[in-house]
Amino acid sequence: ERMEAEDGNTQSPLQHNTNDAKANSKNPTVIIIGGGIIGCSTAMQLALRKANVILIERCGIACAASGKAGGFLARGWGGGPTEQLHHKSFDMHEELAKEFKLKSFRYLPTLSVKTDGRKMKGATKKCEWLDGHVSGVRMMDKDTAQVTPKEITEMFIK
């Protein structure tokens, strides 16, 4: 179905219903507007809890920021009141990657590279992609990873 905007342009919104047309009236119906990673992951979580979910998206799943972000995941980079959320989020991405066999998920240890001070002998061998002055290299975090956000967002609504 096409919708007409105030300026006279028409656009075809994507509607994705997670359940059959004969929705169970005992379960709530939830309408989610936006097919980015937040909307799609919310739709999946609600559907797993037997809610009738209708997802409405103007242009396509992960068509904006969720389809173009870097997908960097860091388990231990949070502190204070959000620290547990960082751990839980990383663990959930790891579990989803295994369960749904996400092709783009990969562990990606993170280096800390310094470029000030005296040049460190052998430092450029540890990070060959740098061609400048490297004064220090150390392993910053082994609990980091990357996933293509578009792939995981599309997986949420399958």
Side-chain angles (χ1 to χ4, degrees):
E1 180 179 330
R2 299 188 74 73
M3 294 173 45
E4 188 168 330
E6 289 179 20
D7 62 4
N9 290 329
T10 59
Q11 43 191 300
S12 180
L14 170 69
Q15 290 192 341
H16 181 80
N17 192 334
T18 60
N19 295 313
D20 297 331
K22 298 177 183 178
N24 183 342
S25 62
K26 291 182 181 181
N27 297 332
T29 296
V30 180
I31 298 173
I32 298 173
I33 300 174
I37 196 162
I38 300 299
C40 291
S41 62
T42 301
M44 181 188 80
Q45 291 296 325
L46 288 169
L48 290 173
R49 289 162 177 78
K50 306 297 184 207
N52 302 306
V53 179
I54 299 171
L55 177 71
I56 300 172
E57 167 56 50
R58 180 179 51 163
C59 62
I61 298 302
C63 67
S66 294
K68 296 165 181 56
F72 182 75
L73 306 167
R75 188 175 199 284
W77 289 23
T82 63
E83 184 173 5
Q84 289 180 338
L85 291 174
H86 287 263
H87 292 246
K88 183 67 174 170
S89 174
F90 187 89
D91 294 345
M92 287 176 73
H93 278 88
E94 192 175 40
E95 291 168 16
L96 288 168
K98 288 176 185 172
E99 181 180 346
F100 293 98
K101 298 177 178 56
L102 297 178
K103 293 177 184 174
S104 67
F105 184 88
R106 63 186 178 135
Y107 295 100
L108 192 68
T110 304
L111 296 176
S112 173
V113 179
K114 292 170 62 175
T115 58
D116 59 342
R118 286 186 10 195
K119 188 172 181 178
M120 180 180 151
K121 188 175 182 176
T124 53
K125 289 181 182 176
K126 294 181 180 180
C127 44
E128 295 173 359
W129 66 93
L130 295 176
D131 59 2
H133 182 88
V134 177
S135 61
V137 177
R138 69 173 178 82
M139 178 60 66
M140 188 172 161
D141 193 346
K142 292 182 180 181
D143 283 335
T144 52
Q146 186 176 28
V147 66
T148 302
K150 185 172 179 69
E151 180 187 21
I152 198 166
T153 302
E154 290 173 342
M155 177 274 306
F156 284 142
I157 63 159
K158 289 185 178 178

